[in-house]
Amino acid sequence: FAMSYGVFQEYYFDNWTLQGGREVTGIIGTTTNGVMYLSMPLLFALFTRRWAHRRRMAALCGAALTCISFVLSSFSTHVWHLVATQGVMAALGCALIYSPTTLSLGEWFKTSNRAVTYGVSLSCKNIVGSACPFLVRVLLNRYGFRTTLQVWAAIATGTSIPAIFLIPTHPSSILLSTSTHRARKNPWEFLKHQSFYIYSTAIILQSCGYGIPQTYLNQYAHDVTLLSQTSATLLLTVFNIPGIASSSFFGYLSDNKHFPLSATTVTAISAVSSALSAFLIWGLTSQGSMALLVLFSITFGFFAGGYSATWGGVINELEREASQRNEAIDTGMVYGLLNGARGVGYVSGGLAGVPLLKSGSRAAIGGFGYATTYGPLIIFTGLSSVFGGWGIVWKWMGLLHLV
């Protein structure tokens, strides 16, 4: 839903019938991602050991909550109803599906191929995000947002429930029923080490800007470059398509044995490249510049879309550090906390987006995106993206200190 929200955002602006300020709809997409990721540390902690035997039941409850949320959203009369149902309730339902199923995935695939596995899994998200914008556009134009949300609820339920039953049970013996096995406590020693906080900070900063194009690119294409609705929707699809390949690619960079790259290097490649895309392409677009917006969608979608696939390499590095210190580490718990860091970034970016949009110039000073009301958003996206790779600077400083 969050990957297709830009289409809803544009529709709300052009067909506003609810009470409240329509600019508030700009926070729904980032709030959806933020709430979903912020809830993951708690959910991963619960389903790693203590409630591991309840994973499938939790995922089914998540599917039901998601369905109910979108149905309720279709009856909204005020903008805060949309924020509550789409941004919060549906996000919690999605998190209940994602957390237990991802934990099972991480247990089936260990260190040697974990990053690639996460990358392939994340690629599937981009496949859906590439196809759904056009489906949403057709439904909105033909039936309006209320019926569209009810159809979306049916699609979400009809696809998620069968998929949940396809997931094999966990392979670990410690995850059998807690009635016969006492759950072990989660190891928290990794919280004492600097590396975890370096990567978490980088994830927060990168996530602040990542959600901005997903939310505002459609609206920008329609308002500034004067593209048609079809062309604007195509941009969102083009934005998501590169992530299909990039998630697997960045997972491979983290796991490959031929040209091994450190986690800091891989995250820096993703972060710096996506920042350059925002500064040099999105910021320099002008009226009617469809080609530049397509180029931005491809490059930013590829490099920024693959950022979360680098976390497999981050977890591998934290696991090696724990091994060197002879400490226990639960990689599922670590992955949940990294997702929580991303949630902090999404929420922060969403909250910052509304005032940044208001502070932009209403009268064009020049012919480029920087001169429009979206100028502050473009600069914010580029800056937050580049800081997502600051881990490599920290590593260089450490090496210099050793020298």
Side-chain angles (χ1 to χ4, degrees):
F1 176 78
M3 300 185 76
S4 304
Y5 179 72
V7 180
F8 283 97
Q9 165 77 355
E10 183 191 356
Y11 180 86
Y12 291 146
F13 256 69
D14 293 341
N15 304 272
W16 188 245
T17 59
L18 303 178
Q19 300 178 43
R22 63 180 180 177
E23 68 276 0
V24 178
T25 58
I27 72 171
I28 293 176
T30 49
T31 300
T32 299
N33 277 319
V35 171
M36 183 164 60
Y37 285 108
L38 279 173
S39 63
M40 285 181 191
L42 174 62
L43 294 176
F44 271 72
L46 291 175
F47 296 110
T48 295
R49 300 177 187 274
R50 184 179 298 275
W51 290 351
H53 59 297
R54 301 292 187 188
R55 287 180 184 174
R56 178 170 288 176
M57 179 60 68
L60 291 172
C61 290
L65 178 60
T66 302
C67 176
I68 293 169
S69 300
F70 285 121
V71 171
L72 289 176
S73 186
S74 68
F75 295 100
S76 298
T77 58
H78 199 286
V79 65
W80 73 263
H81 298 163
L82 295 179
V83 177
T85 53
Q86 298 177 14
V88 180
M89 289 179 60
L92 289 174
C94 291
L96 273 171
I97 300 173
Y98 179 82
S99 299
T101 53
T102 302
L103 278 170
S104 296
L105 182 75
E107 290 162 4
W108 278 105
F109 296 92
K110 299 302 181 182
T111 306
S112 61
N113 52 11
R114 180 185 291 129
V116 172
T117 303
Y118 284 145
V120 172
S121 175
L122 292 169
S123 294
C124 298
K125 171 189 71 172
N126 290 87
I127 292 174
V128 177
S130 302
C132 282
F134 279 104
L135 172 63
V136 172
R137 171 61 65 194
V138 170
L139 290 172
L140 285 172
N141 289 342
R142 183 168 296 183
Y143 302 109
F145 87 93
R146 299 187 188 279
T147 301
T148 298
L149 288 171
Q150 293 169 7
V151 172
W152 190 277
I155 292 174
T157 307
T159 55
S160 59
I161 291 178
I164 290 168
F165 283 102
L166 288 175
I167 298 172
T169 55
H170 41 73
S172 178
S173 60
I174 67 166
L175 297 177
L176 296 176
S177 175
T178 53
S179 61
T180 56
H181 293 76
R182 184 177 180 180
R184 296 185 297 180
K185 293 183 178 180
N186 290 320
W188 297 101
E189 287 83 359
F190 65 91
L191 293 177
K192 302 176 183 178
H193 306 302
Q194 192 177 32
S195 299
F196 173 77
Y197 298 100
I198 297 295
Y199 288 120
S200 297
T201 303
I203 291 170
I204 290 172
L205 293 171
Q206 192 271 347
S207 301
C208 281
Y210 179 59
I212 297 296
Q214 282 184 321
T215 300
Y216 293 102
L217 189 59
N218 261 48
Q219 193 178 336
Y220 177 90
H222 188 62
D223 295 345
V224 177
T225 58
L226 306 180
L227 299 181
S228 65
Q229 284 188 342
T230 302
S231 298
T233 303
L234 176 63
L235 282 177
L236 195 57
T237 298
V238 172
F239 183 91
N240 289 324
I241 285 177
I244 299 171
S246 68
S247 293
S248 300
F249 173 72
F250 280 103
Y252 170 77
L253 287 183
S254 301
D255 270 349
N256 83 96
K257 305 299 185 293
H258 304 292
F259 305 101
L261 297 175
S262 66
T264 51
T265 301
V266 178
T267 55
I269 291 173
S270 170
V272 173
S273 299
S274 54
L276 290 174
S277 174
F279 285 134
L280 301 180
I281 304 178
W282 191 13
L284 297 179
T285 55
S286 57
Q287 183 173 323
S289 56
M290 175 73 173
L292 275 182
L293 273 184
V294 169
L295 181 60
F296 166 73
S297 298
I298 293 172
T299 54
F300 192 88
F302 181 87
F303 289 106
Y307 187 84
S308 54
T310 67
W311 300 354
V314 170
I315 291 174
N316 290 342
E317 186 170 308
L318 294 174
E319 197 169 40
R320 284 192 295 269
E321 289 184 5
S323 177
Q324 292 169 1
R325 297 183 174 99
N326 197 28
E327 296 174 348
I329 186 170
D330 191 308
T331 56
M333 188 65 245
V334 174
Y335 191 71
L337 289 173
L338 294 181
N339 278 289
R342 187 165 208 187
V344 173
Y346 270 128
V347 171
S348 302
L351 294 175
V354 174
L356 284 172
L357 190 63
K358 288 182 177 180
S359 67
S361 172
R362 294 292 177 180
I365 304 172
F368 299 126
Y370 289 119
T372 69
T373 186
Y374 298 90
L377 286 174
I378 296 172
I379 296 172
F380 178 79
T381 299
L383 287 176
S384 61
S385 296
V386 75
F387 281 117
W390 86 292
I392 197 168
V393 177
W394 162 71
K395 186 175 182 180
W396 286 344
M397 291 175 63
L399 291 174
L400 289 173
H401 178 72
L402 291 175
V403 172

